[in-house]
């Protein structure tokens, strides 16, 4: 059996007098009863049982009736409930969603896992199985009567908005803690990415915390943590190990997907297997079972002693047989646990050593079965942000191209709204040439403000020698006109005399120009004009 997904919470009741175990039991009963004519009550869960449930919609997969089986154990105040719901799929795969609720030594835990097993028997690749957060996870996280956490971190279905510099400092400290959950940093620059952040916060509960940044807090956070880059208008998943390569979702990918689930869809295949590997053992059930076994063993030992003291050979034999049965049960469970853990590690090791490697495997099987397999060259192109730059279209919205260039350069180049308007207003005769020139300027910006720009000398020559760009930092006409020369961006005044001569010695309606400012403080180029010559038109 292959473990696909696990979340494991500590739980407390918010109000004194309430029982977290009782509240969670009600959630389990409601989850089992959803969409069924048969209502499962909390009292039904106090003893082991089973029930056939109707099918539920699971993405595009077709499922038959589900079988729910539950087991309840306890001794004294220690108790546990484990529910397994099995769903056979048309692909020959059986999915099992297992919910464990336990209370041991006053500590309440709540665990939900999804595993799969191929029942076909044929030696053939199995189609990738999409993983969706079970509804009970969201219901528990949204219950105001419960407080759930992981490693002391409060868990809910909300995203956190970082709006000020003091919040940036707290976030930077949290990011440097290796005990935290992965954090999804979202640059909240559009309604689409905001909606995607909202969906991710509610459907990746217990796997990541979602944090939104605005323009200023994004820049401040990147300045406080060297090497951290959050795609402009996109998102970056930062693993618990800050040094591990993150997972980026660009603004262009959000726009192309046109789906508020885009962040959830891209990140669940990365997060779920890592969580399954890390949380592979059901500790709550194991501790409760051990408490029951210890009590049974102590009871068997007491019966043996009483029989020996009474010199009752028959009673002693029965007591010893009972003790052997208890010990055999412990050995069998220990072996099952060891084998299950070993299988989980072996099966998941190759899938979770690198989160990106898992996505490659998922896409391979998806393409193999659904005819969507991409060639190695195409896959390589998709991984290179410079090859994902959308070409400009004359008189059309340039934002997809501008955002992609900002992403690819690590925000070493940014574009103003004036730059967007300037492009939309003209029917430039060669948009492909302008796109290529902008890409070269973005690469130059990344190099210029990188760790090693090399020997610069005269900046015009540096642009020409390294990137083939005809850059001029002087223009008498513009320098004499304050209206043409200066522009405001993010509360500061900038000088746009520097420009790239895209085309020269051509008709006036074909003279291409890119005007930009050097922003030394922000370590970037700010492009304010992508169009024709600023004057003489």
């Amino acid at each position: 059996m292959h473990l696909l997904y696990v979340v494991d919470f500590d739980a407390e009741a918010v109000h004194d007098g309430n029982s977290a175990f009782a509240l969670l039991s009600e959630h389990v009963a409601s989850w089992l009863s959803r969409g069924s004519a048969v209502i499962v009550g909390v009292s039904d869960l106090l003893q082991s049982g089973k029930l056939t449930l109707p099918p539920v919609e699971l993405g595009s997969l077709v499922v038959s009736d589900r079988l729910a089986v539950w087991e309840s154990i306890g001794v004294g105040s220690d108790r546990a409930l484990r529910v397994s719901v099995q769903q056979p799929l048309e692909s020959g795969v059986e999915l099992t969603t297992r919910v464990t609720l336990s209370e041991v030594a006053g500590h309440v835990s709540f665990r939900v896992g999804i595993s799969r097993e191929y029942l076909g028997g044929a030696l053939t690749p199995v189609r990738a199985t999409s993983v969706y957060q079970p509804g009970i996870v969201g219901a528990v996280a949204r219950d105001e009567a419960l407080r759930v956490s992981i490693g002391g971190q409060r868990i809910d279905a909300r995203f956190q908005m970082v709006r000020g510099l003091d919040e940036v400092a707290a976030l930077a400290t949290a990011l440097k803690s290796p005990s935290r959950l992965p954090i999804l940093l979202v640059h909240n620059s559009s309604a689409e990415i905001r909606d995607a952040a909202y969906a991710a916060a509610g459907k990746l509960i217990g796997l990541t915390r979602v944090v939104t940044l605005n323009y200023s807090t994004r820049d401040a956070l990147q300045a406080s943590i060297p090497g951290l880059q959050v795609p402009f208008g996109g998102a970056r998943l930062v693993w618990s190990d800050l040094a591990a390569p993150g997972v980026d979702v660009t603004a262009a990918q959000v726009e192309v997907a046109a789906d508020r689930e885009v962040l959830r869809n891209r990140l669940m295949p990365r997060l779920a297997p890592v969580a399954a590997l890390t949380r592979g053992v059901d500790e709550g059930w194991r501790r409760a079972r051990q408490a029951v076994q210890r009590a049974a063993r102590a009871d068997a030992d007491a019966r043996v002693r009483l029989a020996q003291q009474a010199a009752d050979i028959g009673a002693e034999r029965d007591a010893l047989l009972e003790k052997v049965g208890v010990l055999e049960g412990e050995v069998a469970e220990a072996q099952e646990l060891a084998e299950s853990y070993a299988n989980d590690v072996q099966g998941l090791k190759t899938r979770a050593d690198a989160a990106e490697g898992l996505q490659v495997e998922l896409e391979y099987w998806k393409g193999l079965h659904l005819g969507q397999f991409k060639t190695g060259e195409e896959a390589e192109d998709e991984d290179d942000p410079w090859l994902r730059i959308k070409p400009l279209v004359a008189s059309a919205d340039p934002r997809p191209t501008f955002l992609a260039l900002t992403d690819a350069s690590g925000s070493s180049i940014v574009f103003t709204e004036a730059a967007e308007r300037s492009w939309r207003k003209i029917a430039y005769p060669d948009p492909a040439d302008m796109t290529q020139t902008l890409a070269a300027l973005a690469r130059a910006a990344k190099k210029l403000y990188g760790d090693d720009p090399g020997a610069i000398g005269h900046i015009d020559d540096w642009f020409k020698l390294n990137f083939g760009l005809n850059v001029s930092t002087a223009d008498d006409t513009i320098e004499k006109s304050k209206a043409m020369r200066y522009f405001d961006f993010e509360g500061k005044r900038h000088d746009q005399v520097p420009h790239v001569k895209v085309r020269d010695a051509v008709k006036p309606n074909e003279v291409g120009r890119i005007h930009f400012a050097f922003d030394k403080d922000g370590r970037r180029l700010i492009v304010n004009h992508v169009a024709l010559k600023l004057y003489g038109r």
Side-chain angles (χ1 to χ4, degrees):
M1 186 172 289
H2 173 202
L3 193 59
L4 300 173
Y5 161 100
V6 176
V7 291
D8 204 336
F9 305 114
D10 299 323
E12 298 176 275
V14 172
H15 305 293
D16 293 339
N18 285 351
S19 163
F21 190 94
L23 292 170
L24 289 167
S25 296
E26 292 176 3
H27 279 289
V28 174
S30 297
W31 177 62
L32 288 174
S33 302
R34 186 189 62 179
S36 175
V38 179
I39 302 301
V40 178
V42 174
S43 59
D44 297 320
L45 302 175
L46 297 179
Q47 53 187 342
S48 301
K50 62 181 179 179
L51 179 67
T52 299
L53 304 174
V56 295
E57 184 178 345
L58 193 64
S60 60
L61 299 175
V62 176
V63 300
S64 59
D65 286 346
R66 300 167 295 147
L67 177 64
V69 179
W70 60 90
E71 183 179 0
S72 182
I73 60 174
V75 58
S77 60
D78 295 334
R79 50 185 172 168
L81 167 67
R82 185 165 69 178
V83 180
S84 298
V85 178
Q86 299 168 336
Q87 302 181 159
L89 308 180
E90 62 177 351
S91 59
V93 170
E94 182 177 78
L95 281 185
T96 299
T97 302
R98 176 170 288 174
V99 176
T100 303
L101 170 58
S102 64
E103 183 175 17
V104 179
H107 176 259
V108 178
S109 64
F110 175 71
R111 173 187 171 95
V112 181
I114 300 176
S115 59
R116 72 171 183 175
E117 185 174 7
Y118 181 57
L119 305 178
L123 191 61
T124 185
V126 178
R127 180 183 300 180
T129 303
S130 298
V131 175
Y132 294 89
Q133 175 180 284
I136 191 172
V137 175
V140 167
R142 294 181 178 91
D143 189 340
E144 297 295 334
L146 284 166
R147 183 183 296 110
V148 294
S149 60
I150 297 177
Q153 301 165 82
R154 176 73 182 271
I155 303 298
D156 54 35
R158 306 180 182 93
F159 61 80
Q160 305 297 316
M161 294 182 287
V162 174
R163 297 171 172 172
L165 295 182
D166 54 339
E167 295 171 321
V168 170
L171 176 58
T173 300
L175 284 169
K176 295 173 184 176
S177 171
S179 61
R180 61 167 174 79
L181 282 175
I183 294 177
L184 178 62
L185 301 172
V186 179
H187 181 210
N188 187 12
S189 63
S190 67
E192 292 77 13
I193 194 66
R194 183 195 63 229
D195 290 346
Y198 179 83
K203 296 185 178 180
L204 295 173
I205 297 171
L207 299 177
T208 183
R209 297 308 309 270
V210 180
V211 175
T212 63
L213 307 168
N214 57 31
Y215 290 90
S216 59
T217 56
R218 169 179 171 268
D219 290 344
L221 182 63
Q222 291 179 157
S224 66
I225 300 180
L228 176 65
Q229 293 290 337
V230 180
F232 187 92
R236 182 178 183 85
L237 178 70
V238 182
W239 296 103
S240 302
D241 179 0
L242 188 58
V247 181
D248 288 340
V249 181
T250 67
Q253 290 170 330
V254 173
E255 182 180 350
V256 169
D259 182 357
R260 71 194 307 270
E261 302 283 331
V262 59
L263 293 178
R264 192 223 76 90
N265 293 343
R266 286 184 171 271
L267 297 177
M268 180 64 90
R270 270 88 159 176
L271 290 162
V274 176
L277 178 63
T278 305
R279 305 163 180 164
V281 177
D282 190 343
E283 286 290 345
W285 181 260
R286 185 180 66 86
R287 288 193 296 267
R289 174 66 76 182
Q290 286 178 337
V292 172
Q293 289 171 339
R294 284 194 298 269
R297 189 166 61 246
D299 182 65
D301 288 340
R303 289 188 60 189
V304 169
R305 286 196 300 272
L306 288 174
Q308 289 174 339
Q309 292 170 2
D312 187 337
I313 302 300
E316 182 179 356
R317 182 193 61 192
D318 293 340
L320 287 172
L321 288 174
E322 181 182 345
K323 183 174 181 178
V324 168
V326 170
L327 294 174
E328 286 178 341
E330 292 184 27
V331 171
E333 181 167 348
Q335 289 177 339
E336 180 183 355
L337 176 65
E339 291 173 4
S340 174
Y341 184 71
N343 289 337
D344 286 344
V345 171
Q346 185 65 29
L348 289 169
K349 187 67 174 174
T350 56
R351 294 176 174 85
D353 279 342
E356 290 302 315
L358 173 71
Q359 182 65 12
V360 172
E361 179 184 339
L362 184 150
E363 293 298 336
Y364 173 82
W365 293 119
K366 180 180 178 182
L368 186 65
H369 288 276
L370 304 180
Q372 298 174 354
F373 178 61
K374 297 179 175 62
T375 66
E377 183 178 352
E378 289 172 334
E380 183 178 349
D381 288 352
E382 288 190 358
D383 291 337
D384 187 346
W386 295 103
L387 297 177
R388 295 197 298 263
I389 308 298
K390 285 188 172 183
L392 289 167
V393 177
S395 303
D397 186 353
R399 283 180 297 177
T401 304
F402 290 175
L403 287 173
L405 288 167
T406 299
D407 290 335
S409 69
S411 297
S412 295
I413 191 169
V414 295
F415 297 82
T416 67
E417 291 183 2
E420 297 172 9
R421 291 193 299 269
S422 67
W423 178 259
R424 283 196 298 264
K425 289 180 179 179
I426 62 166
Y428 193 75
D430 193 350
D433 184 36
M434 184 65 82
T435 305
Q436 184 177 356
T437 305
L438 280 173
L441 183 62
R443 290 180 182 271
K446 187 172 184 178
K447 177 73 173 177
L448 179 63
Y449 292 111
D451 296 331
D452 183 19
I456 294 179
H458 198 286
I459 192 66
D460 296 6
D461 295 335
W462 183 86
F463 277 110
K464 183 67 174 179
L465 292 173
N466 290 282
F467 297 94
L469 293 168
N470 295 318
V471 171
S472 175
T473 55
D475 187 299
D476 290 341
T477 303
I478 297 177
E479 290 173 10
K480 294 175 182 178
S481 171
K482 290 184 178 180
M484 282 194 291
R485 180 169 185 173
Y486 298 106
F487 68 95
D488 294 327
F489 183 68
E490 293 184 350
K492 293 183 180 179
R493 175 143 290 195
H494 299 278
D495 186 338
Q496 67 171 350
V497 169
H499 58 278
V500 182
K501 297 178 180 180
V502 184
R503 281 187 170 196
D504 242 338
V506 292
K507 297 177 182 179
N509 64 338
E510 297 179 0
V511 179
R513 290 289 187 270
I514 301 170
H515 282 267
F516 62 91
F518 292 99
D519 182 8
K520 294 181 180 179
D521 294 335
R523 297 185 62 78
R524 60 188 178 176
L525 300 183
I526 304 174
V527 177
N528 192 55
H529 180 85
V530 182
L532 302 175
K533 200 171 182 179
L534 273 175
Y535 57 90
R537 289 172 282 174

